[in-house]
Amino acid sequence: MSGIKRSGRWLACALMAAARAGCAQLAYYGQAARGQYALWFGARPVDAWLDDPATDAALKARLRRTRQIRAFAVSELGLPDNGSYKSYAALGRPYVLWNVVATPELSLAPLQWCFPVAGCVNYRGYYDKAAAQAYAAELRAEHYDVQVGGVPAYSTLGWFDDPLLSTFIHYSDAELARLIFHELAHQLIYVAGDSQFNESFAGAVEEAGVQRWLERYGDAAARDNYALYARRRGEFLALLLKHRAALKALYGGALPAPRQREEKARIFAALQDDYQLLKKNWGGYAAYDRWFAEPLSNAHLASVATYNDFLPAFEKLLAEKKTIRAFYAAAHKLAKLDKEERRRALRQLERP
């Protein structure tokens, strides 16, 4: 199906859903359609950028590297061979989207929003930061905990040919490969309404993919740098999960609401302090400072489990199946189960 036909079909679905939901939803889908079209029409083929004498030499080097990564994704990882990540768009902003995540004041359960194709997800995305912040203000006025977070990339699940973007093109080679493998994995297997399954599956693909890519193309320095990046990422995740567990225990307990609010503030203060210690151990590495750009809230921790709950299960499944294609076949079978059956199967995989 051509990009034009896919985009028209997607827009038709969006507008029909908006018409049923009312004017507010129509405005939201309108900004989504405009944002996606601007992204699509702003992209030029990688070859065109490389042939253009005005293209910066550093950008040309990054685009050449993506060709290698993209070919590896198809030949070695069996990921979709389509037009995604074969064009590039310069956006002139730090993120492509800003996601709004919200939870009740004394709960880690995120609000959900439901959309055509993607199903129900735990965030609401905006192409304009001010619009995201305005919606966040509405939710805060209703006493929700809210986080507005920038997103460097996302997948349209094959409805569009997703372009490379200026928001991530200058990542290190391994991080760039990791991101591309992750987003292409969403095009391969995606279950509407089950973000935990989708993100954990894509996470397993990205990790396996980047390790294989580094074995093929990385030198000792690249492998060491990625190992350091992965260690810091793992330590930061462990920090978040530790404090998330404390909050989960708090909200599941019997303390009255005023005491829960006091304990909640103490836990978030401890998270801030522990992060500063972690940074000190990292020699001042500050890549996660942006995570603390807004006052900490439940919403900051609501999505941590979404991306990691079933990652160990998928990693174990990949180890058991030995080949990437056998792993995909097993994941496809899981995707066909109903949600509760799928969760039981994944939890069974996690057991020793």
Side-chain angles (χ1 to χ4, degrees), residues 196 199-207 233 237 305-317 346 350:
Q196 285 174 293
E199 297 302 339
S200 295
F201 166 74
V205 173
E206 75 173 65
E207 287 301 328
R233 187 176 174 219
L237 174 61
T306 298
Y307 283 80
N308 298 280
D309 266 5
F310 295 127
L311 183 57
F314 278 110
E315 289 174 339
K316 185 176 178 183
L317 183 63
L346 289 166
E350 291 174 341

Side-chain angles (χ1 to χ4, degrees), residues 139-160:
L139 292 171
R140 289 189 180 105
E142 297 175 20
H143 306 292
Y144 287 106
D145 277 17
V146 184
Q147 181 200 24
V148 177
V151 179
Y154 66 93
S155 173
T156 56
L157 309 179
W159 284 73
F160 293 88

Side-chain angles (χ1 to χ4, degrees), residues 306-347:
T306 298
Y307 283 80
N308 298 280
D309 266 5
F310 295 127
L311 183 57
F314 278 110
E315 289 174 339
K316 185 176 178 183
L317 183 63
L318 177 55
E320 287 179 356
K321 296 302 178 182
K322 302 189 186 308
T323 70
I324 198 76
R325 294 189 185 280
F327 169 66
Y328 292 158
H332 271 295
K333 288 181 180 178
L334 288 170
K336 291 177 181 178
L337 300 175
D338 69 48
K339 195 169 186 177
E340 286 309 309
E341 286 181 303
R342 191 160 51 245
R343 271 160 168 59
R344 282 195 295 270
L346 289 166
R347 292 189 185 105

Side-chain angles (χ1 to χ4, degrees), residues 22 31 34 43 77 79-80 106 112-113 143 171-172 291 311 313 317:
Q31 68 86 31
R34 289 191 300 274
L77 301 179
L79 291 170
L106 299 175
Q112 286 200 326
W113 291 270
H143 306 292
Y171 284 7
S172 72
W291 202 83
L311 183 57
L317 183 63

